[in-house]
Amino acid sequence: AGITSLLGSGVYTAAYPLHDVSIMQLNIVYCLLQLLYEEWANYSVFYKYQPIGLVRKYFGEKIGLYFAWLGLYTQMLIPASLVGVIVFLYGCATVDDNIPSMEICHPKNNITMCPLCDRVCSYWKLSTACGTARASHLFDNPATVFFSIFMALWAAMFMEHWKRRQMRLNYEWDLTGFEDEEVSGDHPRAEYEFRVMQKSMCKDQKSQQKVEKLTYRDRLPAYMTNIVMMLLMIGVTFAIVFGVILYRISTKAALHMSSNPITRNHVQLTVKTTAAIINLVVILILDEVYGAVARWLTVLEVPKTDKSFEERLIFKTFILKFFNAFTPIIYIAFFRGRLVGRPGSYLYVFESYRMEECAHGGCLMELCIQLSITMLGKQLIQNNLFEIGVPKLKKLIRYIRSKQAAFQEEERQKKLQRYETDHFLEPFAGLTPEYMEMIIQFGFVTLFVASFPLAPLFALLNNIIEIRLDAKKFVTELRRPVAARAKDIGIWYNILRGVAKVAVIINAFVISFTSDFIPRMVYQYMYSPDGSMHGFVNHTLSYFNVSHFQDGKETMDPLHLGYTIEICRYKDYREPPWSTTPYEISKEFWAVLAVRLAFVIVFQNVVMLMSDIVDWLIPDIPKDISLQIHKEKILLVDLFMKEEQGKVYILESRASAGGKENCSRSNNNSTMAQPRSGLHTNSTKNL
């Protein structure tokens, strides 16, 4: 019923409120849209606070809450960015004092390393990894642990500050007394009522029973389709990541066969960068596909209310886009370099492709490259270029079609009406895409911040532009949405809390297993003869006898370094070939593993405890707001008491007046009929 069914049946093509509302203040007429354009949707006012009150007045509370949340998130990124820059500068300042990288870069370092691939790769000197080792120290230093703890507490403080800000806005916008059903308009959707009507008509023909709702059995096929499609889409993501792995392995082998020495010297950088760009392009394409698939699956479920539809759509979209964005990063952080094997007993894919290893500086540098390219690429291409270019292109196409189909030559000269002008604008598709890109960015800022301390800075710079970009889009590029009331940001708050909790665990594993922080600490306090880091590089390298290579796997260029190689080194904790148990895992490996697991447990519990303390110390409701609400409740109770007292007084007055009248009547009647006087006396007493 209503405009929704008329739109669905094609009676109307669109329905929307019109832009450009004039308001009167101090005898001056203001155009609210023009005011928003000048004071909000303008890049020159990026340093000013947003006029959230005007945004709420023009677009409604739901959109006002989104921009208030985005503004607070951007504001909270300022201290996180400052600390991240300080951590990065600390790494730059101490890179020349880092003993492991100094040992790798020392000109007298003559450690010969085993080939990085079969046949086409040759032996190489560890000193050639000097640049990678120095660059890894910029992101893998003791300050990284402090920054991970800081960001966990930062996320907790951000959530608490948002609850306080949300409560203040609820009070200012007079939403404290509204229930969720009143605010969100929790009524059945037209599609749901149509399905119920169809089912009722089928039932009427068979059993004459009226159907009032859809049961679980009615939705079972849709639920099964949802599960299968979600698993299929996640499987597609894993398959693409696996394809990029094969690309890296095959490209590395091909570049090592090149006759150009410059190409051979920059194999690692070329492979890492191109693979990260391929991952970025795939992520951008699949984001659009997954968004459409999630909406189709949600429509298939036929949720009863708009609120249920939105929550289910958000959940599916978040799951698919989260896996899409973070699966390549998770592989590099936790799996790459750990499924390699050892020289003479490597692990292979399809019996031809040897699993790839991390560079000697560790996988943290590769993780940083992947994270930075993905994050910056998504922000520049998807969040900015797409948001600017695509709406303008669609607007132009609609304008051309309308001109060709609807307007005659003489009508083109006339001035368009407001509803015609707004019809050329992009329809409002909801806030889900806006929230989603910020939630994914929040994941980049918190989940792997141990490997990329500059992530908050890039997020801050993006959001300063994003706020004004979204504002301009709402004011000039989109049709005016129907204003909706809302008390909070809904399911997004729970997603934010979940991401913040998972971030603590992931950062603990990144510091413990991806970086060399734990092996350095174990060596310094357990194995170092003088308590320093001298000898750490040699301690982490195992020995391999080149005569133990499998047939056909040895290098084709054994004299690449100009002399015969008998022993080469590789990064692992294994027994040397001359021991009684050659190539078995050494006791140092188990010692490091035990400390790593202990660090994860301690880090996770300490940081979560500190987050809970922050949550407990910061009240959810600002003190001035709670006092004001308390005073208003007291005034409200006093008002009710006065009203009740007034009602009682009126009743007593009426009762008193009625008693006097009855008494006078009884006196008059007593002279006429004495036997009835007792009845009137009792009734007066009762009254």
Side-chain angles (χ1 to χ4, degrees):
I3 190 67
T4 306
S5 61
L6 294 175
L7 288 170
S9 59
V11 176
Y12 292 105
T13 58
Y16 45 87
L18 300 183
H19 274 298
D20 198 8
V21 177
S22 298
I23 59 174
M24 177 72 71
Q25 289 183 353
L26 301 177
N27 297 324
I28 302 176
V29 178
Y30 291 95
C31 175
L32 191 56
L33 184 66
Q34 183 66 23
L35 194 61
L36 285 172
Y37 183 81
E38 294 175 355
E39 299 297 330
W40 182 49
N42 196 339
Y43 294 109
S44 61
V45 296
F46 71 92
Y47 58 91
K48 294 183 179 180
Y49 286 106
Q50 300 180 84
I52 296 299
L54 293 180
V55 176
R56 171 248 180 178
K57 183 179 293 185
Y58 191 79
F59 292 107
E61 285 80 2
K62 195 170 186 178
I63 295 177
L65 280 173
Y66 164 71
F67 282 101
W69 174 83
L70 181 57
L72 180 65
Y73 171 49
T74 305
Q75 185 179 351
M76 289 290 293
L77 282 172
I78 296 176
S81 302
L82 292 176
V83 177
V85 170
I86 292 173
V87 170
F88 179 74
L89 293 178
Y90 171 82
C92 295
T94 59
V95 67
D96 292 331
D97 301 328
N98 183 37
I99 295 176
S101 61
M102 290 171 60
E103 291 182 347
I104 293 175
C105 298
H106 199 279
K108 294 183 179 180
N109 179 16
N110 59 356
I111 298 178
T112 303
M113 303 296 294
C114 297
L116 296 175
C117 61
D118 295 336
R119 303 286 293 168
V120 296
C121 296
S122 303
Y123 301 103
W124 55 285
K125 289 292 186 180
L126 182 61
S127 57
T128 58
C130 176
T132 304
R134 289 173 62 87
S136 297
H137 179 73
L138 301 179
F139 306 98
D140 187 7
N141 54 70
T144 303
V145 180
F146 160 76
F147 190 56
S148 299
I149 298 174
F150 171 81
M151 288 304 296
L153 298 179
W154 173 87
M157 293 186 65
F158 166 59
M159 305 302 295
E160 292 304 311
H161 278 290
W162 168 243
K163 285 194 289 188
R164 290 168 61 86
R165 174 68 169 154
Q166 184 175 263
M167 189 63 199
R168 187 177 295 276
L169 291 176
N170 283 340
Y171 177 76
E172 293 175 356
W173 295 350
D174 196 24
L175 293 173
T176 53
F178 281 88
E179 298 296 331
D180 291 338
E181 290 78 9
E182 297 179 74
V183 176
S184 61
D186 208 8
H187 54 274
R189 300 174 67 244
E191 292 83 355
Y192 178 83
E193 293 181 336
F194 181 71
R195 283 288 300 274
V196 171
M197 182 181 68
Q198 283 185 323
K199 183 181 177 183
S200 181
M201 292 175 63
C202 294
K203 288 284 185 180
D204 284 343
Q205 296 176 358
K206 296 179 180 179
S207 59
Q208 303 296 324
Q209 293 180 355
K210 187 176 180 180
V211 179
E212 297 182 355
K213 64 178 182 179
L214 297 180
T215 62
Y216 180 81
R217 182 177 297 178
D218 298 326
R219 289 196 174 98
L220 185 60
Y223 288 153
M224 296 301 298
T225 305
N226 270 259
I227 294 173
V228 172
M229 286 299 297
M230 291 285 286
L231 294 177
L232 178 62
M233 293 296 102
I234 294 174
V236 169
T237 302
F238 289 150
I240 291 175
V241 171
F242 184 71
V244 175
I245 294 172
L246 295 181
Y247 162 81
R248 277 200 293 258
I249 296 172
S250 58
T251 304
K252 185 184 297 183
L255 292 178
H256 275 293
M257 297 174 62
S258 174
S259 59
N260 190 345
I262 299 178
T263 302
R264 291 197 303 270
N265 293 335
H266 297 86
V267 169
Q268 294 289 342
L269 181 61
T270 303
V271 172
K272 293 174 190 175
T273 307
T274 55
I277 293 174
I278 291 173
N279 270 322
L280 172 62
V281 173
V282 171
I283 287 172
L284 294 177
I285 295 174
L286 289 184
D287 266 353
E288 302 300 320
V289 175
Y290 288 164
V293 170
R295 179 168 289 275
W296 173 68
L297 292 176
T298 308
V299 170
L300 204 62
E301 288 183 2
V302 196
K304 182 176 181 180
T305 62
D306 289 329
K307 181 180 179 181
S308 176
F309 180 89
E310 186 178 15
E311 289 181 349
R312 296 185 185 199
L313 174 62
I314 289 171
F315 179 75
K316 294 181 182 65
T317 308
F318 173 74
I319 293 296
L320 292 177
K321 291 193 175 185
F322 182 87
F323 274 97
N324 184 37
F326 290 102
T327 299
I329 300 173
I330 291 174
Y331 163 73
I332 294 176
F334 303 125
F335 297 99
R336 185 176 178 180
R338 289 163 179 79
L339 304 174
V340 178
R342 60 169 180 83
S345 181
Y346 285 115
L347 297 179
Y348 292 88
V349 180
F350 301 139
E351 298 182 356
S352 301
Y353 298 100
R354 183 174 126 189
M355 292 298 293
E356 52 187 348
E357 303 178 42
C358 292
H360 185 76
C363 283
L364 200 67
M365 189 63 197
E366 299 179 27
L367 177 62
C368 178
I369 293 174
Q370 178 70 53
L371 189 63
S372 58
I373 291 179
T374 304
M375 180 179 179
L376 296 178
K378 280 180 66 65
Q379 291 182 168
L380 291 176
I381 298 175
Q382 187 178 41
N383 298 356
N384 294 331
L385 293 181
F386 283 4
E387 288 190 9
I388 295 174
V390 173
K392 288 185 178 296
L393 182 61
K394 290 182 178 180
K395 179 181 177 181
L396 179 62
I397 293 174
R398 279 192 300 272
Y399 184 77
I400 294 174
R401 287 179 177 176
S402 299
K403 284 289 187 181
Q404 293 175 347
F407 294 104
Q408 301 297 329
E409 187 65 31
E410 61 274 6
E411 292 177 335
R412 295 180 185 178
Q413 308 300 326
K414 298 180 182 179
K415 184 178 180 181
L416 295 178
Q417 298 293 327
R418 185 74 222 185
Y419 70 90
E420 295 173 313
T421 305
D422 286 2
H423 185 66
F424 298 136
L425 300 177
E426 181 76 7
F428 177 66
L431 289 172
T432 300
E434 311 298 334
Y435 273 114
M436 189 62 65
E437 66 184 57
M438 289 295 107
I439 296 296
I440 297 297
Q441 185 201 84
F442 183 79
F444 283 122
V445 169
T446 55
L447 289 176
F448 294 92
V449 74
S451 62
F452 191 35
L454 296 180
L457 176 63
F458 290 118
L460 173 64
L461 297 177
N462 174 80
N463 288 4
I464 291 174
I465 301 174
E466 181 74 18
I467 291 176
R468 307 303 164 179
L469 180 63
D470 283 349
K472 193 170 185 178
K473 182 174 66 175
F474 272 83
V475 170
T476 62
E477 302 294 338
L478 294 180
R479 295 173 187 168
R480 187 178 180 181
V482 178
R485 308 200 78 180
K487 292 181 65 176
D488 49 41
I489 60 176
I491 192 176
W492 296 111
Y493 181 80
N494 296 328
I495 293 177
L496 282 170
R497 287 189 65 89
V499 171
K501 297 293 185 184
V502 172
V504 177
I505 302 173
I506 288 183
N507 280 306
F509 277 96
V510 168
I511 295 172
S512 182
F513 287 90
T514 308
S515 75
D516 281 338
F517 175 76
I518 298 300
R520 288 196 299 264
M521 294 298 102
V522 171
Y523 174 78
Q524 184 174 0
Y525 294 107
M526 293 180 62
Y527 298 104
S528 176
D530 56 357
S532 68
M533 293 300 297
H534 290 286
F536 170 73
V537 175
N538 186 66
H539 177 75
T540 59
L541 298 177
S542 299
Y543 296 86
F544 178 74
N545 191 333
V546 298
S547 62
H548 296 165
F549 271 121
Q550 296 174 342
D551 293 336
K553 303 299 183 182
E554 65 276 2
T555 179
M556 294 186 298
D557 189 12
L559 300 177
H560 173 74
L561 298 177
Y563 52 88
T564 304
I565 306 297
E566 296 182 358
I567 297 293
C568 65
R569 309 290 295 275
Y570 61 99
K571 190 174 182 180
D572 204 349
Y573 291 100
R574 290 183 180 271
E575 296 292 341
W578 54 81
S579 69
T580 55
T581 56
Y583 308 124
E584 293 294 326
I585 294 175
S586 64
K587 61 179 181 181
E588 288 85 358
F589 171 84
W590 299 111
V592 172
L593 179 61
V595 176
R596 280 174 165 168
L597 295 176
F599 176 84
V600 169
I601 296 173
V602 173
F603 182 91
Q604 173 186 340
N605 287 278
V606 169
V607 173
M608 286 192 173
L609 177 62
M610 295 172 67
S611 300
D612 292 339
I613 292 175
V614 170
D615 190 359
W616 175 70
L617 289 177
I618 301 177
D620 294 345
I621 304 176
K623 188 175 181 180
D624 58 332
I625 299 297
S626 61
L627 290 175
Q628 193 67 24
I629 293 176
H630 182 66
K631 290 179 182 178
E632 290 181 359
K633 287 182 178 180
I634 293 176
L635 291 175
L636 198 61
V637 171
D638 291 342
L639 180 62
F640 286 155
M641 292 296 294
K642 289 180 181 179
E643 288 184 355
E644 291 298 324
Q645 290 176 359
K647 291 179 181 179
V648 171
Y649 176 77
I650 292 173
L651 289 175
E652 289 178 349
S653 299
R654 290 177 178 176
S656 177
K660 291 180 180 179
E661 183 179 354
N662 288 335
C663 289
S664 61
R665 288 178 179 175
S666 63
N667 291 333
N668 293 333
N669 292 334
S670 63
T671 59
M672 298 172 59
Q674 282 289 345
R676 299 186 62 183
S677 60
L679 177 61
H680 284 278
T681 303
N682 292 333
S683 63
T684 303
K685 185 185 298 184
N686 293 334
L687 181 60

